[in-house]
Amino acid sequence: MKLLHDRATTARKVLGTANMWNVGPSEQWPLVFVLIDESHTFFHDHKGSDKETRALAALAAENIRLTGLLVKGGRSVGIFTVPATQKATGDAIPTSIRDVCSAALSFYQRTTEASVAALGDDIRNWPDMDPINLQGSQYVGVASMAAEGRPGFVRVRTPYLDPDDAATVANATAHLTQDPTALLARLTPPSMRKDDPPEEDSPAAA
């Protein structure tokens, strides 16, 4: 959240615009991906009145709130948040988060209710694209996808990547990654690093 705030409050001064996409990502302002794997473990709706359960419920609620802020406020400053789960239920990726994601993707599901949990209620209007149809060897790696600004759904295929090949690519490109907080600190004048109010139109100002 600090990186979101810092990017939002300094984007106009560093990039000349509050929206990074007006100039595009760069070596100095790289894209940042926040992957929340097995997201249901962070968003689970705990029920109970004992002290421990109440604390867990409060923690889950705060996780949902912060993730929602990242999803909504991060895109304009180049931060992409990806909640991922194999548990297709409403509390795995709460609708308050799912409905503000710019894209949603689901592989095979056993029920339409599970498809709705992943893709939203509109999937009911496109039965041919319902992930319940993605059963069989011909659909290995195939998913139904909804994208912002595009009506309906499309099917996409993700090719299989051998773990050894993935490790080779990761090792070969590791030198391209950088710490975005350190980069921002070098780009930001000392006078802007403390007590600098957020831009009025920045996500952090909401």
Side-chain angles (χ1 to χ4, degrees), residues 33-167:
F33 286 87
V34 180
L35 176 61
I36 307 176
D37 197 15
E38 304 295 348
S39 62
H40 58 273
T41 61
F42 302 99
F43 304 145
H44 179 67
D45 186 16
H46 297 271
K47 302 293 186 182
S49 57
D50 60 281
K51 182 178 180 180
E52 181 179 0
T53 301
R54 291 199 307 272
L56 289 172
L59 178 60
E62 181 66 355
N63 289 340
I64 293 170
R65 185 185 75 84
L66 294 175
T67 302
L69 290 175
L70 279 174
V71 171
K72 289 184 288 187
R75 282 174 294 193
S76 65
V77 294
I79 300 176
F80 289 90
T81 306
V82 184
T85 181
Q86 298 184 58
K87 180 186 177 187
T89 59
D91 64 343
I93 300 179
T95 56
S96 62
I97 295 173
R98 183 201 66 195
D99 291 346
V100 294
C101 288
S102 58
L105 183 148
S106 175
F107 293 95
Y108 168 70
Q109 300 289 358
R110 291 183 179 274
T111 66
T112 294
E113 286 67 29
S115 301
V116 169
L119 299 173
D121 199 63
D122 193 41
I123 190 63
R124 298 184 189 274
N125 300 321
W126 303 81
D128 291 344
M129 288 294 178
D130 192 325
I132 62 173
N133 300 311
L134 303 179
Q135 188 173 25
S137 58
Q138 70 272 33
Y139 292 116
V140 173
V142 176
S144 292
M145 179 178 177
E148 192 173 58
R150 177 188 298 169
F153 297 81
V154 296
R155 284 180 179 171
V156 296
R157 184 185 294 275
T158 57
Y160 172 75
L161 181 62
D162 184 272
D164 291 337
D165 291 337

Side-chain angles (χ1 to χ4, degrees), residues 3 7 28 30 32 178-185:
L3 179 61
R7 278 195 166 197
Q28 290 74 30
V32 176
Q178 298 192 59
D179 180 352
T181 57
L183 283 172
L184 189 60

